[in-house]
Amino acid sequence: MQVDEQTETPQEGLPRAQRSLVLVGLMGAGKSTVGRRLSSALRLPFHDADQEIEVAAGCSISDFFEQYGEKAFRDGERKVIARLLKGPRHVLATGGGAFMDPATRALIKCEGLSIWLRADIGLLMERVVKRPTRPLLKNDDPRATMERLMAERYPIYAEADLTVDSNGGPHETIVQQILQELAKLGVKGAA
Ligand code: S3P
């Protein structure tokens, strides 16, 4: 395990409207693309947790899973997200499993404003087949895996502060929807 960072203990965070915006949801929901666009709209920096993990670990997520296993990946993911959320306000795209980790979820609830990009199975599968690198889907029946993950994860993702449907329309439309919801919460620059 080569990710060596401090995990922050969750504490009372900033008012929600001033926090970092954290995108959660399944693989293929569009967290990175929407997150990047949302960050430009709000003039905030953007971070992608998966990319940061790859930099910290010095290898791809796929290789990391193969070499060290999922538990080590979750430990690294937790540390990287804690480090990012401790930094200046930004938009953060998390990997699909991050919000499922109880400590990461508690931290996001304390330090972030979470946005679940909800998508149906058809859209998720259409997107993930285009990038067949995701370790959890490298098996004989990725669709069945995705359905299982939906059943396990959607009740937890539903704990996010906001839920926005990602229905396969233009990403810009989703960004606008998010901005409208953020404006209602008093987030500056969202109106
Ligand atoms: C995972 C999702 C991936 C990546 C890893 C595990 C998951 O990120 O973090 O492969 O558990 O759902 P994306 O959601 O960005 O594909």
Side-chain angles (χ1 to χ4, degrees):
M1 179 67 207
Q2 293 161 41
V3 179
D4 181 24
E5 300 176 54
Q6 292 299 308
T7 303
E8 281 297 293
T9 314
Q11 289 169 351
E12 197 61 35
L14 288 167
R16 261 194 322 182
Q18 293 168 31
R19 297 182 188 176
S20 289
L21 303 166
V22 184
L23 291 152
V24 305
L26 265 178
M27 298 170 271
K31 301 177 297 280
S32 301
T33 312
V34 169
R36 196 168 277 111
R37 288 173 184 234
L38 183 64
S39 72
S40 317
L42 291 169
R43 297 180 204 283
L44 286 174
F46 173 72
H47 294 288
D48 186 305
D50 283 348
Q51 276 178 13
E52 301 269 348
I53 293 164
E54 289 184 331
V55 170
C59 67
S60 71
I61 286 177
S62 227
D63 289 346
F64 193 94
F65 261 72
E66 242 169 66
Q67 262 187 283
Y68 305 103
E70 181 168 355
K71 187 186 173 303
F73 173 77
R74 298 299 171 202
D75 291 345
E77 180 175 56
R78 190 181 314 117
K79 289 171 185 166
V80 164
I81 291 176
R83 188 245 305 157
L84 291 168
L85 286 180
K86 202 174 159 229
R89 187 167 176 243
H90 62 280
V91 175
L92 174 64
T94 61
F99 202 62
M100 297 304 294
D101 179 86
T104 301
R105 188 164 66 252
L107 190 72
I108 293 172
K109 285 185 180 185
C110 266
E111 307 280 347
L113 194 168
S114 51
I115 303 162
W116 173 25
L117 285 191
R118 181 170 58 189
D120 64 26
I121 183 80
L123 181 65
L124 296 173
M125 291 313 293
E126 191 185 304
R127 298 234 182 97
V128 296
V129 292
K130 291 182 191 152
R131 190 160 67 84
T133 54
R134 292 171 167 104
L136 295 185
L137 300 178
K138 282 188 190 168
N139 58 48
D140 291 344
D141 196 347
R143 190 182 176 95
T145 305
M146 190 68 99
E147 281 170 342
R148 177 179 54 77
L149 291 174
M150 288 175 84
E152 283 170 13
R153 293 180 176 184
Y154 275 22
I156 305 291
Y157 291 155
E159 294 178 23
D161 295 308
L162 294 177
T163 297
V164 173
D165 279 307
S166 171
N167 54 14
H171 284 118
E172 204 42 50
T173 310
I174 297 166
V175 171
Q176 289 308 321
Q177 263 174 271
I178 296 174
L179 289 171
Q180 280 171 19
E181 295 301 320
L182 292 177
K184 290 183 203 161
L185 296 178
V187 171
K188 272 203 200 128

